């Protein structure tokens, strides 16, 4: 304010001195000066009018560009803008079961993500969520991957993201090929975590009898860029493929490969039994496997009165980790923009009390149960219910709470956008830590009143009434 006032004052002074000078100039010169001045004023007027018209045109063009379908009439524009008013909760909530299902011969994929082209969103709610992920630079995208028995998520790699997966159901055999062409293969079962660093080639095959169901978190808020090995093969000129692979029969052998009509992203040939005669496979040694694998279900349980937390993350102090868990923790930390994964179980009526994270955005998926979720940011509080299949997003620093509301325990799978140890502060901890005379002054309340807020021996991160 001070600066603004100062500038205005200075401007006024200059104006006064200009007028003062004018008065001292001789008549002739004064006349010329006046005609110059009028030319100047005319130009100024013209300029102003042109600018105003320009701004008007620009703003009309802008309004037309920001609406979904460019109707020519201004009335239609207004309606479109009104229709775009979406409940603010959808910045933090995505009803994934309602989103588009991408079907493949061997399974299906669904997404909670940002899209470059807003026409790719099915609804304004989905758009609000995607925009929110992107505008917060969240480093988050979520996909669910269902693979039928014997189905295969084709070997592929991602240009722009690390991938962290949680297997909800089934048994899968994983292969990872790194830049040293070392291949690591291993089995995963429900409750375990997989990690594929950016650009490592990987495949996932369902080797059990039931469907595999994966939650896949990708460390990007842009569109995920992926290449499948079959697509790359068919895009490579035959002579180049022949020269590179030097097969028996040369280019004629290459020509015997035929691209399928349907996208084979998740594949399952009808005649698989005819094609595959020996499906035996090996498990790589632990020092390789545990770089890409973490037994989250089998890891240390952090128990609270109202629930349990488990974490697959980098630990600064790894002294409580097993030898294999240390391999995972160290390997995560060697890569940029990795994620931490976690399970959060909250018993019926339990409350994950208000807290926030210093160093990570958070994304979560509801596996079971239901809850009321609250988010407090600089705009105020947003509260909403979540059910199985819903995806939530808590931007870094926003205070959030989760209250389990169904008979069944709430189970959330959470991902955090940090390759460091997650940093968290709970409401009871920061209020206890704040001097009671500061609280007295802040809340207009006698200092002694704050003795009524008890300190507990046990951490109350997830508490019961
Ligand atoms: C099946 O494949 C495995 C691994 O590739 C190999 O070690 C084994 O000898 C094969 N068995 C037969 C019968 O070909
Ligand atoms: C992986 O799981 C399959 C199916 O349960 C099993 O047949 C196979 O022996 C397992 N492989 C290893 C290496 O553990
Ligand atoms: C690491 O954790 C262990 C057990 O929690 C503790 O005894 C030890 O002092 C810690 N080390 C450091 C360097 O903080």
């Amino acid at each position: 304010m001070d600066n603004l006032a100062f500038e205005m004052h200075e401007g006024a002074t200059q104006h006064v001195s200009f007028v003062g000078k004018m008065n001292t100039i001789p008549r002739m010169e004064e006349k010329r000066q006046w005609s110059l001045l009028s030319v100047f004023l005319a130009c100024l007027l013209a300029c102003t009018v042109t600018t105003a018209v320009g701004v008007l045109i620009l703003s009309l063009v802008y309004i037309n560009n920001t609406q979904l379908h460019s109707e020519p009439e201004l009335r239609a524009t207004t309606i479109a803008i009104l229709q775009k008013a979406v409940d603010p909760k959808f910045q933090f909530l995505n009803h994934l079961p309602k989103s588009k299902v991408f079907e493949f011969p061997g399974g299906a994929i669904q997404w909670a993500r940002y899209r470059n082209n807003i026409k790719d969103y099915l609804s304004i709610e989905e758009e609000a969520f995607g925009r929110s992920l992107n505008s917060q630079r969240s480093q988050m995208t979520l996909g669910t991957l269902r693979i039928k028995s014997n189905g295969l998520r084709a070997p592929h790699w991602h240009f722009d993201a690390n991938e962290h997966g949680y297997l909800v159901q089934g048994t899968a055999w994983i292969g990872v090929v790194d830049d040293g062409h070392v291949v690591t293969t291993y089995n995963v079962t429900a409750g375990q975590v997989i990690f594929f660093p950016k650009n490592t080639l990987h495949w996932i095959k369902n080797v059990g009898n039931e469907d595999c169901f994966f939650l896949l978190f990708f460390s990007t808020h842009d569109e995920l860029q992926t290449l499948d090995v079959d697509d790359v093969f068919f895009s490579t000129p035959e002579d180049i493929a022949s020269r590179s692979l030097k097969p028996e029969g040369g280019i004629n052998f290459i020509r015997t490969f035929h691209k399928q009509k349907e996208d084979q992203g998740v594949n399952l040939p009808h005649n698989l039994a005819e094609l595959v005669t020996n499906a035996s496979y090996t498990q790589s040694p632990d020092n390789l496997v545990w770089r890409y694998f973490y037994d989250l279900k089998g890891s240390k349980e952090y128990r609270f009165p109202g629930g349990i937390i488990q974490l697959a993350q980098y630990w600064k102090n790894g002294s409580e980790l097993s030898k294999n868990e240390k391999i995972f923790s160290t390997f995560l930390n060697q890569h940029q923009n990795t994620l931490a994964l976690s399970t959060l179980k909250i018993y019926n009526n339990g409350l994950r009390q208000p807290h926030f994270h210093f160093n990570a955005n958070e994304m979560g998926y509801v596996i079971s149960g239901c809850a009321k979720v609250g988010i407090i940011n600089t705009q105020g509080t947003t509260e909403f219910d979540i059910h199985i299949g819903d995806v939530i997003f808590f931007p870094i620093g926003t205070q959030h709470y989760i209250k389990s509301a169904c008979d069944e325990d709430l189970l959330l799978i959470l991902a955090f956008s940090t390759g460091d140890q997650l940093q968290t502060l709970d409401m009871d901890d920061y209020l206890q830590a704040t001097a009671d005379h500061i609280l007295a002054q802040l809340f207009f309340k006698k200092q002694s009143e704050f003795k009524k807020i008890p300190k507990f021996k046990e951490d109350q991160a997830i508490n019961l009434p």
Side-chain angles (χ1 to χ4, degrees):
M1 277 313 280
D2 274 350
N3 278 343
L4 188 63
F6 179 71
E7 277 169 25
M8 276 167 69
H9 185 71
E10 203 167 61
T13 317
Q14 271 169 8
H15 184 70
V16 168
S17 65
F18 175 67
V19 172
K21 264 185 207 152
M22 288 271 295
N23 285 344
T24 59
I25 335 169
R27 240 167 215 267
M28 279 274 288
E29 260 193 61
E30 190 177 310
K31 207 174 175 185
R32 223 177 70 202
Q33 201 77 26
W34 273 115
S35 62
L36 265 177
L37 189 69
S38 55
V39 169
F40 169 74
L41 283 175
C43 284
L44 190 71
L45 185 69
C47 264
T48 314
V49 169
T50 318
T51 312
V53 168
V55 166
L56 192 68
I57 288 169
L58 272 180
S59 57
L60 283 178
V61 167
Y62 180 71
I63 287 169
N64 274 328
N65 281 345
T66 49
Q67 69 178 100
L68 265 166
H69 317 284
S70 48
E71 288 96 344
E73 284 175 27
L74 207 65
R75 226 184 113 239
T77 307
T78 321
I79 291 166
I81 286 171
L82 281 178
Q83 276 173 348
K84 289 193 84 174
V86 53
D87 189 327
K89 75 180 180 186
F90 290 108
Q91 295 167 70
F92 312 114
L93 173 67
N94 177 304
H95 291 308
L96 193 63
K98 281 194 188 163
S99 73
K100 182 172 173 176
V101 181
F102 293 84
E103 297 273 7
F104 298 90
I109 298 178
Q110 282 180 288
W111 294 103
R113 60 173 165 175
Y114 165 76
R115 305 307 306 262
N116 282 329
N117 185 345
I118 59 168
K119 287 183 181 155
D120 290 338
Y121 292 113
L122 283 190
S123 64
I124 49 170
E125 290 80 17
E126 206 179 78
E127 181 193 333
F129 190 78
R131 262 175 207 255
S132 162
L133 290 183
N134 187 262
S135 65
Q136 299 280 347
R137 314 199 56 72
S138 66
Q139 270 189 56
M140 296 282 193
T141 292
L142 171 78
T144 60
L145 169 64
R146 188 171 288 282
I147 313 179
K148 297 176 191 164
S149 179
N150 285 314
L152 168 73
R153 171 69 187 100
H156 65 281
W157 65 94
H158 307 288
F159 300 9
D160 56 349
N162 298 296
E163 175 173 356
H164 298 254
Y166 176 89
L167 181 54
V168 180
Q169 172 195 301
T171 309
W173 181 55
I174 308 281
V176 192
V177 186
D178 72 11
D179 63 335
H181 44 83
V182 174
V183 57
T184 303
T185 60
Y186 56 96
N187 266 356
V188 284
T189 54
Q192 297 175 327
V193 159
I194 52 179
F195 167 50
F196 306 130
K198 205 184 278 188
N199 290 303
T200 50
L201 185 151
H202 52 275
W203 68 80
I204 304 175
K205 177 164 163 93
N206 184 343
V207 292
N209 297 322
E210 56 179 351
D211 280 8
C212 275
F213 185 60
F214 279 97
L215 300 179
L216 304 174
F217 295 92
F218 299 90
S219 62
T220 181
H221 45 256
D222 291 318
E223 284 197 0
L224 187 63
Q225 302 200 36
T226 304
L227 266 183
D228 287 4
V229 163
D230 57 336
D231 295 331
V232 179
F233 182 84
F234 289 115
S235 299
T236 306
E238 288 168 342
D239 58 324
I240 299 295
S242 171
R243 267 287 293 278
S244 306
L245 303 175
K246 294 196 184 331
E248 206 177 295
I251 198 164
N252 288 328
F253 176 74
I254 300 295
R255 286 179 181 148
T256 61
F257 286 77
H258 298 293
K259 194 174 166 72
Q260 302 295 315
K261 278 200 200 85
E262 233 179 317
D263 189 330
Q264 297 297 307
V266 192
N267 122 323
L268 184 55
H270 300 297
N271 58 341
L272 185 64
E274 259 172 66
L275 301 171
V276 177
T277 48
N278 173 11
S280 80
Y281 41 83
T282 50
Q283 170 113 354
S284 302
D286 280 351
N287 64 340
L288 290 178
V289 169
W290 283 78
R291 288 157 55 172
Y292 307 107
F293 167 82
Y294 193 81
D295 183 9
L296 184 56
K297 198 178 177 184
S299 72
K300 182 176 171 174
E301 293 186 339
Y302 295 86
R303 289 185 165 271
F304 304 93
I308 305 171
I309 293 176
Q310 288 179 291
L311 282 153
Q313 68 163 349
Y314 164 72
W315 291 94
K316 285 199 182 89
N317 178 352
S319 68
E320 284 189 26
L321 300 178
S322 71
K323 182 167 152 267
N324 286 336
E325 288 173 342
K326 261 182 217 162
I327 296 170
F328 182 81
S329 171
T330 312
F331 193 65
L332 265 192
N333 198 242
Q334 283 165 358
H335 294 81
Q336 280 187 338
N337 302 332
T338 55
L339 306 177
L341 256 55
S342 161
T343 52
L344 170 61
K345 178 182 278 191
I346 311 183
Y347 310 138
N348 171 252
N349 219 8
L351 170 73
R352 175 69 187 97
Q353 70 158 288
H355 65 282
F356 61 95
H357 306 289
F358 297 22
N359 60 345
N361 296 293
E362 176 175 357
M363 203 176 191
Y365 179 94
V366 186
I367 301 264
S368 67
C370 70
K372 187 169 281 305
V373 165
I375 295 173
I376 301 154
N377 62 12
T378 51
Q379 269 82 54
T381 312
T382 310
E383 223 186 33
F384 52 87
D385 295 323
I386 51 171
H387 302 96
I388 292 173
D390 281 343
V391 177
I392 45 177
F393 171 54
F394 303 136
I396 188 167
T398 54
Q399 177 157 300
H400 48 276
Y401 54 88
I402 304 165
K403 187 175 171 297
S404 177
C406 285
D407 291 342
E408 196 187 3
D409 291 347
L410 176 77
L411 181 60
L412 274 173
I413 308 304
L414 303 171
F416 301 89
S417 62
T418 181
D420 280 318
Q421 194 170 317
L422 185 64
Q423 294 171 342
T424 305
L425 191 58
D426 288 0
M427 183 180 193
D428 66 340
D429 290 328
Y430 69 71
L431 283 179
Q432 294 285 1
T434 305
D436 57 6
H437 63 268
I438 293 294
L439 294 176
Q441 180 170 346
L442 177 65
F443 292 107
F444 293 74
K445 227 173 170 41
K446 285 219 166 76
Q447 196 167 349
S448 56
E449 288 281 295
F450 292 94
K451 300 248 182 323
K452 289 183 182 166
I453 303 176
K455 273 189 189 136
F456 293 93
K457 263 192 210 125
E458 202 176 358
D459 190 328
Q460 298 292 308
I462 314 171
N463 75 9
L464 286 175

